[in-house]
Amino acid sequence: MELLSNLALGFSVATSLENLMFCLIGALLGTLIGVLPGIGATATIAMLLPITFQLEPVSSLIMLAGIYYGAQYGGSTTAILLNLPGESSSAVTALDGYQMARKGRAGVALAVAALGSFFAGSVSTLLVAIFAPPLTAIALKFGSAEYFSLMVLGLVMSIVLAHGSIVKAMAMVVLGLLLGCVGTDIYTGAPRFTMGITNYADGLNFVALAVGVFGIAEILRNLEDEGGEREVMTKNVTNLMPTRKDFRDMVGPVLRGTGLGSLLGILPGGGAILASFASYTVEKKLSKHPEEFGKGAIAGVAGPESANNAGAQTSFIPLLTLGIPANPVMALMIGAMIIQGIVPGPNVVSEQPDLFWGIIASMWIGNLMLVVLNLPLIGLWVRLLTVPYYILFPIIMAMCSIGVYSVNSNVYDLYAVAFFGFLGYVMYKLRFEPAPLLLGFVLGPLLEENLRRAMILSRGDPTTFVTRPISLTLLLMSLAVLIVVFLPAIRKSRDEVFVESEG
Amino acid sequence: MATRNIDTTNVVAGVLLLAIGAFFGLQTMGLEIGTSLRMGPGYFPMMLTILLLILGVAVLISAFKTKAGEPIGPIAWRGMLLILPAPVFFGLTVKGLGFVPALFFTALIAAGASIKMKPLTALILAVIVTIASTLIFSYGLGLPFRRFGPWLPQF
């Protein structure tokens, strides 16, 4: 069995004492920052990215994966205890999790979230191990035209999965693509949009963009209204163990959530976010007691949390096989890989099998660590929640500044952070979504390069995108998705899903 | 009352998109567009700029067709005034003053953004953040920062 020997290789890499330690530190740090209210997984990873720069590539990516799971777990903790989801994917958890906490079952809700996530994580890790290599083989047949069309599909998906206005989400993608053009043109060496500042010749720093748009804009949002007091559900986190009935109630949702999440996670453009919404809707439809949803139904926590984690895991598939990020977090991972000198794409699996399989194995280990460590540590995380926000954000600002500066030691990156923080806040105020912007920014240079290369190869004939079958299929899928979201009926139900999540 | 049915948020959003589009459009003027066979550096940005302008117009039109959306809500003026300059200050001084003093003032400036922060708490917090970060990032992780820069008297 090739799969087994590959997994064995992965585990031998991931279980080296050093890598176990980095995975552990990553998971702990990720939870620590993720637990802080109002900071989602994306901002957490952007902030902690610099810590990993000095490490070996494998260790650094293992640690980042640990941070990712930790941040997600931390996000569910705040969603349940504070009704403050750090990220849209845990918004669904907040619906019933917070209600469970109000009924004195906060501990059970946290345990269900952790166990469901662990199960989903285990299954989907195996799925990644099984499906990534054959997909890599397909990816190797991809030419520039196919890559271009695939990225178009990814961007279209990110538009569809964004909240609110589709036109505005499109504008964000286009703006992201334009920001991605800043810097030196790869073919001619001509500087573009640098306004004469040579420090921007290498392009805008994506860590600066992510920290600004996600981290700093977030802080400004939280500072808007300082008067309100939050009700922290910390008193009742003593009883963690779900009852026998709880277990029976969660099996179905966890299984369905895992399946749904795994499937949706593979989609480029942010399927993991959709996964928790989809799972919630499905559970509500299937439930014999739909009226319990929104009032503390255990299925409303178990399903979405499993779906979310499964999707988070399988979204590594497009990253590892094609080098295309499925969501902002994966975009950050790509940035980290590039900084480490790894070109993400189908060649990683053949050229650096230890890296590839090491990451896959560490996903599972990271999940295990979260269950083993975080359930006993919940008391500590809960105490963190009581730290007032005005103490936290100066620390976050200091870490953001250090983090961004440490990427390239370029002080202009720090000015960019301030600018993108401002832009991110203005965009939030005007109800624009930041995720499509970041995805557009990361894919922009790749998209342009493949477009130009494809056009040169086809001698300037644009029909190359529709005469090659894979490319045509991908473009037709993008078109179909766009047509579908503009259909009035679908549009209405899409609105309902998002409204429900905010209710 | 002709203005009653206008979504002001989308008016601002549309105008902003048009302004950004105009900015990139002007900048693209100086770039060679090229042909579809050999695209110049300006080809791809030009397509994107046109698309952005169209989307800006679409958002603007939608503002007049829908009923007024939610109000923009409170704006974090104090936050913007003190949070945004913090990384800029760090950038301006990290090479001159060095990592330690630059970080101290960055944390102090940021701390001022909350109305709840008392001056003494801010000072203590900034000191703790500076010491902890210096230990973690400079000594622990060995990031190549100069701790005290040339602007300070050297001992």
Side-chain angles (χ1 to χ4, degrees), chain A residues 50-51 53-55 148 165 167-168 170-172 174-175 177-179 181-182 185 187-188 190-195 216 219-221 223-229 390-395 397-399 401-403 405-406 409-411 414-415 417-419 421-423 425-427 429-432 444-445 447-448 451-452 455-462, chain B residues 7-10 12-14 16-17 20-21 23-25 27-28 31-32 36-49 51-52 55-56 58-59 69-80 83-92 94-95 99 103 106-107 110-118 121 125 129 133 137 141-145:
Chain A
I51 300 178
F53 289 163
Q54 306 292 315
L55 306 176
F148 175 83
S165 159
V167 178
K168 280 171 148 178
M170 274 174 145
M172 284 293 97
V174 176
L175 182 58
L177 291 170
L178 271 170
L179 290 171
C181 291
V182 175
D185 176 48
Y187 283 91
T188 61
R192 295 195 294 190
F193 312 121
T194 56
M195 292 182 286
I216 293 186
I219 291 179
L220 291 173
R221 258 168 72 175
L223 284 173
E224 271 174 7
D225 176 26
E226 286 198 274
E229 286 295 319
Y390 67 87
I391 298 285
L392 294 178
F393 76 83
I395 303 174
M397 283 308 298
M399 284 185 68
S401 303
I402 301 170
Y405 182 62
S406 65
S409 297
N410 182 355
V411 291
L414 289 160
Y415 311 148
V417 164
F419 174 74
F422 176 69
L423 184 76
Y425 183 63
V426 171
M427 292 301 176
K429 279 280 149 195
L430 298 175
R431 299 199 298 268
F432 284 106
L447 192 70
E448 183 183 10
L451 171 69
R452 284 163 85 168
M455 290 303 270
I456 291 172
L457 289 173
S458 73
R459 302 184 180 281
D461 178 11
Chain B
D7 185 349
T8 22
T9 311
N10 274 354
V12 180
L16 184 70
L17 289 180
I20 296 172
F23 168 79
F24 277 103
Q27 296 278 313
T28 315
L31 297 170
E32 186 202 339
S36 60
L37 170 60
R38 291 234 172 253
M39 292 182 190
Y43 195 98
F44 189 63
M46 184 195 69
M47 295 192 325
L48 293 174
T49 306
L51 203 55
L52 193 65
L55 291 168
V59 171
E70 315 156 40
I72 289 190
I75 293 172
W77 292 112
R78 189 190 170 102
M80 280 201 274
I83 288 289
L84 296 177
V88 175
F89 179 86
F90 187 76
L92 289 172
V94 67
K95 288 211 168 110
F99 178 77
L103 189 68
T106 303
S114 170
I115 42 169
K116 289 185 179 169
M117 182 67 89
K118 295 181 191 71
T121 326
L125 185 64
V129 167
S133 309
F137 292 99
L141 292 167
L143 298 181
F145 299 138

